[in-house]
């Protein structure tokens, strides 16, 4: 009907039968649900022409396919179908073919909430066709029939099914990794190549055992060798102190009394004048979770940071209740899933109790020694613990840090992951296995 000047007679409401329902069998292999009355007529025409052709050319008799639509409009089709649930449920397959536009997309979403989900398949109209009428007018009947039989099961939000399962496997085994400095080679080997990107990583160590030095070493390596930009929240040290320590490591000498802008700028900026990393210098502005979240999201969205290092995370969590701490970790999980960023949380330990040996005196630590909510270590894809006896009389023992991989969700391997040795004379860390102890005369 070129003018669409047609109107119903009789009862006309959401309680009415679907258009075409009176002529439908009420059971069978397929029922096609389209957007409107004209689409019903066009669909039936294409289907009947196809059935006749198959019978004529191949001698194959295809069972009739019932076609219905809402009688009160595409926008309320779900409400009407809900009333006709038993009728629609009588068919083996319910093919939903709404118009290919925003209204049609909304109608499909609403229908999926009321139809027997296991029977529903979604049909896509042929290219450049909004509906069955377009397909008929443009001579795309063959493509329309093919699209009908190619209808796919709808996807449940957050649920992987069918071919998507294989894609999920491919994505998992090809997950991007964040490389580690060479002195952490044993740890990198246990992690099967590096830290997993898009995850939460926890580093735990007692006070004063050198986790800042080790963390700075990793940050310096990532700034130059990781393909991902770092955003650093240095909450214990102000911006100046943090940068002074980082520059000292970068230049290989203490710069507390030495300033050479040209050398320093190479750490801060690349050859094109772009900043190599972002640093948050907290001057009391991060006094609530909203400010912290906003700052992190700006680093991600505006500065392009893909590794977010919070050192230490307890400076954010200490004033919060356990429930609020867990909620912040839950927020990290949402952000890393949404944006593919990696959170590296540097953690303090709880106070040692029960007469146990403190972690700073070489005592063994576990994930449960992480200060704050248990959601921290439970949400970590990788949990790394550093221990050292800073009170030991033996200088070799005193300057040796043990690395333990307590959790590795993807790689699976856990346990002792190497030792680091701090050379006092050069103020440098070394992989202890590579360190020739014969050169240390005084030890």
């Amino acid at each position: 009907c070129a003018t669409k000047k047609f109107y119903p007679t009789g009862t006309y409401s959401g309680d009415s039968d679907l258009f075409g329902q009176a002529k439908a069998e009420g059971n069978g292999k397929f029922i096609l649900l389209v957007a409107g009355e004209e689409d019903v007529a066009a669909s039936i025409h294409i289907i009947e022409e196809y059935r006749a052709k198959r019978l004529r050319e191949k001698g194959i008799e295809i069972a009739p396919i019932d076609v219905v639509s809402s009688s009160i409009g595409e926008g309320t089709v779900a409400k009407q179908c809900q009333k006709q649930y038993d009728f629609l449920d009588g068919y083996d397959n319910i093919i939903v073919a709404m118009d290919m536009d925003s209204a049609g997309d909304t109608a499909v979403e609403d229908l999926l909430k009321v139809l027997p989900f296991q029977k529903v398949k979604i049909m896509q109209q042929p290219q450049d066709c909004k509906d069955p009428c377009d397909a008929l007018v443009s001579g795309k009947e063959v493509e329309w029939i093919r699209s009908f039989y190619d209808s796919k099961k709808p996807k449940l939000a957050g649920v992987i099914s069918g071919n998507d399962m294989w894609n999920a496997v491919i994505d998992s085994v090809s997950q991007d990794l964040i490389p580690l400095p060479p002195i952490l080679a044993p740890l990198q080997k246990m992690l099967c190549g590096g830290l997993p990107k898009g995850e939460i990583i926890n580093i735990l160590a007692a006070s004063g055992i050198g986790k800042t030095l080790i963390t700075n070493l990793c940050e310096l390596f990532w700034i130059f060798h990781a393909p991902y930009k770092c955003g650093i929240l240095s909450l214990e040290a102000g911006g100046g102190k943090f940068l002074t320590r980082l520059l000292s490591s970068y230049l290989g000498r203490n710069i507390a009394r030495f300033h050479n802008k040209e050398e320093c700028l190479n750490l801060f900026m690349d050859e094109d004048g772009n900043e190599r990393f972002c640093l948050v210098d907290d001057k009391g502005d991060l006094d609530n979770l909203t400010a912290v979240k906003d700052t992190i999201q700006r680093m991600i969205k505006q500065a392009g940071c893909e590794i977010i290092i919070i050192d230490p995370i307890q400076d954010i969590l200490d004033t919060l209740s356990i429930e609020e701490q867990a909620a912040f970790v839950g927020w990290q999980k949402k952000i890393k899933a949404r944006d593919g960023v990696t959170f590296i949380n540097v953690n303090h330990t709880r106070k040692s109790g029960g007469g146990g040996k403190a972690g700073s005196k070489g005592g063994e630590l576990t994930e449960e020694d992480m200060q704050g909510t248990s959601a921290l270590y439970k949400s970590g894809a990788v949990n790394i613990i550093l221990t050292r006896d800073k009170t030991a009389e033996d200088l070799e023992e005193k300057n040796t840090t043990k690395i333990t991989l307590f959790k590795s969700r993807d790689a699976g391997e856990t346990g002792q992951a190497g030792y680091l040795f701090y050379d006092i004379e050069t103020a440098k860390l070394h992989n202890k296995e590579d360190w020739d102890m014969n050169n240390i005369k005084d030890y």
Side-chain angles (χ1 to χ4, degrees):
C1 179
T3 62
K4 289 192 175 182
K5 290 183 178 180
F6 50 85
Y7 56 88
T9 59
T11 304
Y12 181 64
S13 71
D15 293 326
S16 304
D17 285 355
L18 296 165
F19 181 80
Q21 184 173 339
K23 293 186 176 181
E25 294 292 330
N27 58 69
K29 189 173 183 180
F30 293 105
I31 186 167
L32 175 62
L33 177 60
V34 293
E37 293 88 343
E38 286 186 314
D39 294 326
V40 171
S43 300
I44 291 175
H45 179 85
I46 296 173
I47 291 169
E48 291 306 312
E49 287 289 321
Y50 173 70
R51 292 181 65 226
K53 182 178 180 181
R54 293 286 286 179
L55 182 61
R56 182 174 63 253
E57 295 180 356
K58 303 289 185 180
I60 299 174
E61 186 169 358
I62 297 174
I65 297 172
D66 292 333
V67 186
V68 295
S69 75
S70 171
S71 60
I72 55 175
E74 188 180 30
T76 53
V77 63
K79 292 181 179 179
Q80 195 170 15
C81 286
Q82 192 171 19
K83 297 289 183 67
Q84 303 300 329
Y85 183 94
D86 290 341
F87 162 72
L88 295 167
D89 193 34
Y91 293 85
D92 295 335
N93 297 277
I94 303 170
I95 310 299
V96 175
M98 296 293 106
D99 288 353
M100 301 294 288
D101 54 23
S102 59
D105 293 341
T106 301
V108 170
E109 291 179 10
D110 293 339
L111 283 165
L112 293 178
K113 299 174 184 177
V114 301
L115 296 175
F117 190 85
Q118 71 278 8
K119 294 186 176 183
V120 175
K121 292 182 179 179
I122 307 300
M123 176 182 170
Q124 300 293 318
Q125 301 294 333
Q127 188 175 2
D128 299 325
C129 294
K130 177 186 174 183
D131 52 32
C133 293
D134 281 352
L136 183 59
V137 170
S138 59
K140 293 187 176 182
E141 295 94 327
V142 173
E143 291 89 339
W144 190 91
I145 287 291
R146 187 180 300 119
S147 295
F148 173 84
Y149 285 108
D150 284 344
S151 299
K152 308 294 184 193
K153 280 190 166 294
K155 295 180 181 179
L156 280 170
V159 176
I160 302 174
S161 60
N163 290 333
D164 290 340
M165 291 185 178
W166 174 248
N167 295 331
V169 171
I170 296 300
D171 290 342
S172 177
V173 298
S174 59
Q175 182 182 27
D176 293 334
L177 298 173
I178 301 171
L180 292 171
I183 68 168
L184 296 177
L187 176 61
Q188 178 156 299
K189 183 178 180 181
M190 291 180 69
L191 290 168
C192 297
L195 298 173
K197 187 174 181 292
E199 297 289 356
I200 295 175
I201 313 297
N202 288 301
I203 299 173
L204 173 66
S207 177
I209 69 99
K211 63 177 177 290
T212 298
L213 179 63
I214 296 169
T215 303
N216 286 165
L217 183 143
C218 290
E219 291 164 342
L220 187 60
F221 180 80
W222 291 329
I223 287 169
F224 286 99
H225 301 290
Y228 315 111
K229 188 175 181 180
C230 291
I232 304 166
L233 283 78
S234 180
L235 302 176
E236 279 187 335
K241 289 184 178 179
F242 172 84
L243 291 171
T244 298
R245 287 201 300 256
L246 197 66
L247 279 166
S248 295
S249 297
Y250 170 61
L251 298 173
R253 61 181 181 273
N254 192 322
I255 68 158
R257 301 183 183 279
F258 176 83
H259 301 280
N260 186 318
K261 187 175 181 180
E262 292 298 325
E263 288 183 303
C264 296
L265 285 180
N266 188 51
L267 171 62
F268 306 147
M269 315 287 285
D270 65 18
E271 299 79 7
D272 298 321
N274 300 312
E275 61 183 14
R276 294 189 188 273
F277 63 97
C278 287
L279 173 65
V280 176
D281 185 11
D282 180 24
K283 298 185 184 298
D285 298 326
L286 303 182
D287 57 352
N288 59 74
L289 277 185
T290 299
V292 172
K293 291 177 181 178
D294 287 347
T295 298
I296 291 173
Q297 291 193 97
R298 283 199 301 273
M299 286 196 293
I300 296 169
K301 295 296 185 182
Q302 296 178 12
C305 295
E306 297 183 72
I307 302 175
I308 303 296
I309 302 158
I310 306 178
D311 184 11
I313 192 171
Q314 278 70 32
D315 275 20
I316 294 173
L317 303 181
D318 277 348
T319 59
L320 305 178
S321 67
I322 292 297
E323 291 76 16
E324 290 172 323
Q325 293 179 31
F328 180 73
V329 177
W331 176 82
Q332 284 190 330
K333 292 170 69 175
K334 290 180 182 178
I335 296 300
K336 62 99 173 172
R338 185 192 71 189
D339 298 325
V341 302
T342 302
F343 282 99
I344 298 180
N345 299 322
V346 181
N347 291 269
H348 285 318
T349 58
R350 302 178 188 273
K351 291 182 179 179
S352 57
K357 193 175 182 181
S360 60
K361 295 183 179 181
E364 293 295 328
L365 298 174
T366 67
E367 294 165 307
E368 288 78 5
D369 290 308
M370 204 172 287
Q371 184 179 325
T373 174
S374 62
L376 277 167
Y377 66 82
K378 290 177 181 177
S379 298
V382 173
N383 292 333
I384 300 165
I385 297 181
L386 310 174
T387 53
R388 177 173 70 89
D389 187 356
K390 65 181 185 181
T391 64
E393 294 184 5
D394 181 80
L395 291 180
E396 180 181 341
E397 180 182 357
K398 183 178 181 178
N399 290 289
T400 299
T401 300
K402 179 183 178 182
I403 304 171
T404 305
L405 180 58
F406 254 78
K407 181 181 180 181
S408 179
R409 185 181 296 151
D410 296 329
E413 187 176 0
T414 57
Q416 186 268 320
Y419 293 87
L420 298 179
F421 182 78
Y422 181 70
D423 180 12
I424 299 174
E425 292 184 6
T426 61
K428 288 185 178 180
L429 280 169
H430 301 268
N431 183 322
K432 196 167 187 296
E433 291 184 3
D434 298 333
W435 182 255
D436 183 2
M437 298 301 296
N438 294 326
N439 292 331
I440 308 177
K441 306 293 183 181
D442 298 331
Y443 287 6

